[in-house]
Amino acid sequence: MDRYDLPDAHGHFGPYGGVYVAETLMAALAELNEEYARAKADPAFWQEYHYELKHYVGRPSPIYHAKRLSEKLGGAQIYLKREDLNHTGAHKVNNTIGQALLARRMGKKRVIAETGAGQHGVASATVAARYGMECVVYMGAEDVKRQAPNVYRMKLLGATVVPVESGTKTLKDALNEAMRDWVSNVDNTFYILGTAAGPHPYPMLVRDFQTVIGEESKVQMPEMIGRQPDVVVACVGGGSNAIGMFYPYIDVPGVRIVGVEAGGDGIETGRHAAPLSVGTPGVLHGFKSYLMQDENGQVSGTHSVSAGLDYPGVGPEHSYLKDIGRAEYDAINDDEAMNAFHDLCHLEGIIPALESSHALAWAIKHAPTMDKDKVILVNLSGRGDKDINTVAALSGITL
Amino acid sequence: MSRIAATFARLSGQKALIPYITAGDPHPDLTVELMHGLVDAGADIIELGVPFSDPMADGPVIQRAAERALAHNVSLRDVLKMVAEFRKTNTDTPVVLMGYLNPVVAMGYTEFARAAHAAGVDGVLSVDCPPEESEELATELEAQGIDPIFLLAPTTPEARIVEIARHARGYVYYVSLKGVTGAANLDIADVGRKIARLREHIALPIGVGFGIRDAETARAIAGVADAVVVGSRLVQEIEAATPETARERLTRLVAELKSAIR
Ligand SMILES: Cc1ncc(COP(=O)(O)O)c(C=O)c1O
């Protein structure tokens, strides 16, 4: 196989990706693409980016051997890439720092973002405060309710949070509204997109800013166990933490790559958020990819206990990796994720994000079927403090 | 000659009025009647919106119209049936479908182009399909004699204008402002300057839409463009009406706009 090198110049990953937006945004995307190309070739840009990741975010994030959990399962060893220990509590900040530095290069003083779980909103509000920019975050009204602590965190950081009442009132509608804002304020506004999706160049640049996860892992695993893991696994909402972990491993033979979508109430119920598992190719939010839709091409409503995975689309590179067979995608249901959440709390003293709990649940499900000398590296994309209200409510407790 | 070309030829310099309504709004049974009403009141071309679950480029007014239509499960196939019904008694007025790409992707480009031709569709404007991504669809449409209509925006640089001019058929649609449909920040002098620049590269008629809300702005736009597109303002009229009064309220406003641009 040739060295994997995508997207092409037009933002295509095979048949996926591209730039499917209204004409008004075409120039802004071209400008962003050009500026990113310049930044990419500028060592000073990366120097500052890595300085910020080290001193502001606290990277590198450690890898932790979840020994008690592994022992209890009696199979493969589970290791956790601790993105939950980042400043702001998730992988999202890796990307927002990169994009904020781009925004500053482009002289934009106002940034906007969409958010589902609120983690990307918090990470955007954080960098906006850090670099002195105005910040507006669009969030589905449904998510505003279920992620109340994050809404308040964004406000504390000086951002304006706009609840989105249209459509299904979740992440996809927040994205629609952010795009509408961008079209209306394109001259002075930088759109900090939160996942490896959207029109080109976003899937590429978000991936590039998140690959620090996999790059670090590639160095840390040999230090810990003398080799690379047998499996890397990550949850897939839009796909940014997953592609960040996967990308550096694409060209490493023998490493199995597994993305985990939200199975919600179960794939068979139709109430889930698993486009790679049961969707068909379509166009939404500026790119072509697998999409949950009905036979008429209307986008389906989704369900997941985790707001950050509650999205009917998926980043185009994952669709491509699925089609070429380099990555496999599976779904984990709400209750399996909840069990994994509690297991990690009790056995390891780590409260994981509900999103990350999906990746963890996959490892918990498959570790017992594997030999004890096998290693699964789970990307623990975020911490679960933001989810305690949701978890409490599911246990019949009001905080 | 295509119906669109014939329409502009017949107008011979007079300005065209292009009203937009969303198919299925307020009810699928009313759409064909409303289309005839638009023609009776002076519409030269009809832009018929295909409802989509995620209308990213639309403001709240047209978003709500799509939601009303989707409450009745109006699909792209249903919209084509409405056009076919309209064509039974109107064979002159061009109908341009305006919407988002995904329903067309779901139907399949080849099947869509054939069915659209059979129904009597004259042009297709996919808001989220710029020329860069449109080759496959445009080829299928042109094979069926349907014009792919493209947008131009205040942000479109010179080189892209030239490129879009190469792809455009029928007419081009200049988005008069940076924003979503129904926005209110129209700057007429600026539109005039931009249109003059467009004409250096574009031989096709130029329609202008987004933000035209009354007879006065319609008249001003008609002073610089070949066609005036009015959408949100008409949809608002439908929204404010009952099913019984929708046609009358809509046609009254369209007639007023038509006389303003004469
Ligand atoms: C902790 C965490 N993990 C994962 C995700 C899903 O996003 P992505 O698939 O882009 O990593 C989110 C999104 O909000 C998140 O907060």
Side-chain angles (χ1 to χ4, degrees):
Chain A
M1 192 170 121
D2 291 341
R3 227 188 108 257
Y4 179 94
D5 183 22
L6 291 173
D8 68 16
H10 303 287
H12 294 122
F13 302 85
Y16 305 113
V19 188
Y20 294 88
V21 298
E23 177 59 27
T24 312
L25 289 178
M26 289 301 289
L29 287 163
E31 191 195 349
L32 175 60
N33 197 30
E34 283 156 25
E35 188 58 39
Y36 180 57
R38 277 191 291 272
K40 205 169 171 172
D42 178 0
F45 177 79
W46 294 108
Q47 210 171 16
E48 182 171 13
Y49 169 73
H50 285 291
Y51 181 93
E52 296 290 278
L53 289 188
K54 181 173 176 191
H55 297 282
Y56 189 65
V57 176
R59 301 202 74 92
S61 66
I63 287 183
Y64 168 73
H65 183 188
K67 275 199 195 118
R68 294 190 68 220
L69 177 64
S70 305
E71 258 162 44
K72 184 189 159 212
L73 296 167
Q77 301 304 304
I78 296 178
Y79 284 73
L80 307 175
K81 177 63 171 165
R82 299 290 308 275
E83 291 300 301
D84 61 312
L85 294 178
N86 292 342
H87 178 43
T88 73
H91 68 291
K92 297 287 182 187
V93 71
N94 303 329
N95 169 47
T96 58
I97 289 205
Q99 290 199 44
L101 292 177
L102 276 179
R104 204 184 57 190
R105 278 178 77 103
M106 296 172 81
K108 309 275 179 176
K109 292 266 190 286
R110 177 178 184 267
V111 296
I112 57 171
E114 86 296 339
T115 196
Q119 286 305 107
H120 175 61
V122 167
S124 298
T126 298
V127 297
R130 163 78 184 82
Y131 300 110
M133 297 162 174
E134 181 195 344
C135 180
V136 177
V137 180
Y138 292 93
M139 188 170 189
E142 200 57 47
D143 294 335
V144 167
K145 260 188 274 168
R146 56 179 168 171
Q147 304 286 340
N150 269 347
V151 174
Y152 188 58
R153 285 167 81 199
M154 288 183 259
K155 289 182 182 165
L156 285 176
L157 292 161
T160 306
V161 180
V162 182
V164 176
E165 300 283 352
S166 57
T168 58
K169 305 182 178 32
T170 58
L171 180 54
K172 82 171 173 75
D173 310 287
L175 230 150
N176 290 335
E177 211 54 41
M179 287 278 188
R180 291 180 189 123
D181 180 315
W182 199 29
V183 153
S184 310
N185 300 287
V186 62
D187 292 334
N188 70 346
T189 297
F190 188 102
Y191 180 15
I192 302 186
L193 216 154
T195 191
H200 180 65
Y202 282 106
M204 172 179 75
L205 68 88
V206 174
R207 174 196 73 196
D208 291 353
F209 293 138
Q210 291 293 359
T211 51
V212 65
I213 300 171
E215 294 294 354
E216 285 175 4
S217 301
K218 258 172 102 173
V219 175
Q220 291 166 315
M221 286 311 291
E223 283 170 5
M224 291 185 83
I225 62 167
R227 64 183 180 87
Q228 296 300 344
D230 300 286
V231 186
V232 293
V233 52
C235 66
V236 180
S240 69
N241 88 88
I243 202 68
M245 174 60 93
F246 297 172
Y247 189 71
Y249 280 107
I250 290 174
D251 283 330
V252 182
V255 177
R256 190 176 161 200
I257 297 176
V258 181
V260 182
E261 298 190 299
D265 291 342
I267 295 291
E268 67 289 350
T269 66
R271 287 175 45 78
H272 57 79
L276 288 165
S277 303
V278 291
T280 49
V283 172
L284 179 69
H285 294 152
F287 64 104
K288 187 180 273 184
S289 196
Y290 282 90
L291 179 65
M292 286 175 55
Q293 54 181 322
D294 68 14
E295 70 279 10
N296 297 316
Q298 305 297 345
V299 179
S300 309
T302 52
H303 167 77
S304 170
V305 69
S306 76
L309 302 184
D310 212 349
Y311 180 63
V314 61
E317 194 157 16
H318 289 291
S319 291
Y320 182 72
L321 291 173
K322 172 191 157 81
D323 281 7
I324 65 168
R326 181 58 189 102
E328 51 194 293
Y329 296 88
D330 204 347
I332 284 288
N333 299 349
D334 284 354
D335 52 0
E336 296 171 303
M338 290 304 305
N339 290 338
F341 174 94
H342 289 298
D343 282 349
L344 203 68
C345 291
H346 292 154
L347 292 169
E348 301 289 353
I350 297 170
I351 303 177
L354 286 178
E355 291 79 16
S356 325
S357 298
H358 286 71
L360 187 68
W362 189 94
I364 289 173
K365 197 167 171 175
H366 290 82
T369 68
M370 295 165 66
D371 290 339
K372 282 195 171 138
D373 61 353
K374 296 289 183 198
V375 170
I376 303 175
L377 175 61
V378 176
N379 193 20
L380 202 73
S381 56
R383 66 176 184 229
D385 305 47
K386 69 184 173 61
D387 294 313
I388 56 175
N389 288 321
T390 305
V391 174
L394 286 172
S395 317
I397 299 164
T398 13
L399 296 181
Chain B
M1 202 192 297
S2 76
R3 265 190 287 261
I4 291 175
T7 297
F8 281 106
R10 176 177 52 75
L11 284 166
S12 67
Q14 276 189 62
K15 304 311 165 85
L17 179 63
I18 310 184
Y20 165 100
I21 58 172
T22 300
D25 172 38
H27 191 282
D29 293 346
L30 284 175
T31 299
V32 175
E33 186 194 330
L34 292 181
M35 290 169 76
H36 287 303
L38 292 174
V39 175
D40 294 345
D44 297 295
I45 296 174
I46 294 174
E47 277 187 7
L48 189 59
V50 180
F52 181 50
S53 52
D54 292 82
M56 259 168 36
D58 286 300
V61 171
I62 293 180
Q63 286 175 45
R64 286 197 298 269
E67 282 176 18
R68 285 191 293 272
L70 289 175
H72 299 284
N73 289 315
V74 172
S75 68
L76 178 54
R77 286 170 205 276
D78 294 332
V79 177
L80 293 176
K81 279 185 207 142
M82 293 172 192
V83 177
E85 183 65 28
F86 172 78
R87 278 278 169 260
K88 284 184 182 164
T89 49
N90 181 318
T91 51
D92 299 331
T93 309
V95 175
V96 173
L97 297 187
M98 180 162 183
Y100 295 80
L101 189 60
N102 198 53
V104 178
V105 173
M107 188 167 173
Y109 291 165
T110 312
E111 188 187 344
F112 167 70
R114 281 203 199 112
H117 170 76
V121 168
D122 302 285
V124 172
L125 198 177
S126 286
V127 175
D128 55 350
C129 191
E132 282 84 346
E133 304 288 354
S134 74
E135 195 177 316
E136 228 182 301
L137 176 58
T139 305
E140 295 286 352
L141 291 175
E142 289 186 52
Q144 298 292 334
I146 298 174
D147 291 329
I149 313 283
F150 287 104
L151 297 173
L152 290 150
T155 53
T156 307
E158 192 94 2
R160 272 186 73 75
I161 297 174
V162 175
E163 184 59 20
I164 293 171
R166 250 176 13 90
H167 290 85
R169 303 285 181 273
Y171 61 95
V172 296
Y173 185 140
Y174 178 69
V175 175
S176 62
L177 50 81
K178 293 172 200 159
V180 293
T181 53
N185 49 337
L186 187 58
D187 175 348
I188 306 230
D190 181 60
V191 172
R193 281 191 297 273
K194 293 283 169 47
I195 300 272
R197 211 187 66 184
L198 296 182
R199 290 208 197 275
E200 292 171 18
H201 305 287
I202 294 175
L204 291 174
I206 300 175
V208 171
F210 280 41
I212 299 167
R213 312 199 49 79
D214 50 33
E216 194 189 326
T217 39
R219 185 180 302 119
I221 291 293
V224 293
D226 304 306
V228 178
V229 188
V230 185
S232 294
R233 181 63 190 88
L234 299 182
V235 172
Q236 242 170 3
E237 207 60 24
I238 293 176
E239 187 168 43
T242 63
E244 291 72 35
T245 60
R247 177 174 177 152
E248 195 211 316
R249 290 186 65 155
L250 189 62
T251 52
R252 196 187 320 131
L253 182 55
V254 170
E256 194 184 312
L257 292 166
K258 179 73 176 184
S259 65
I261 69 170
R262 264 214 181 90

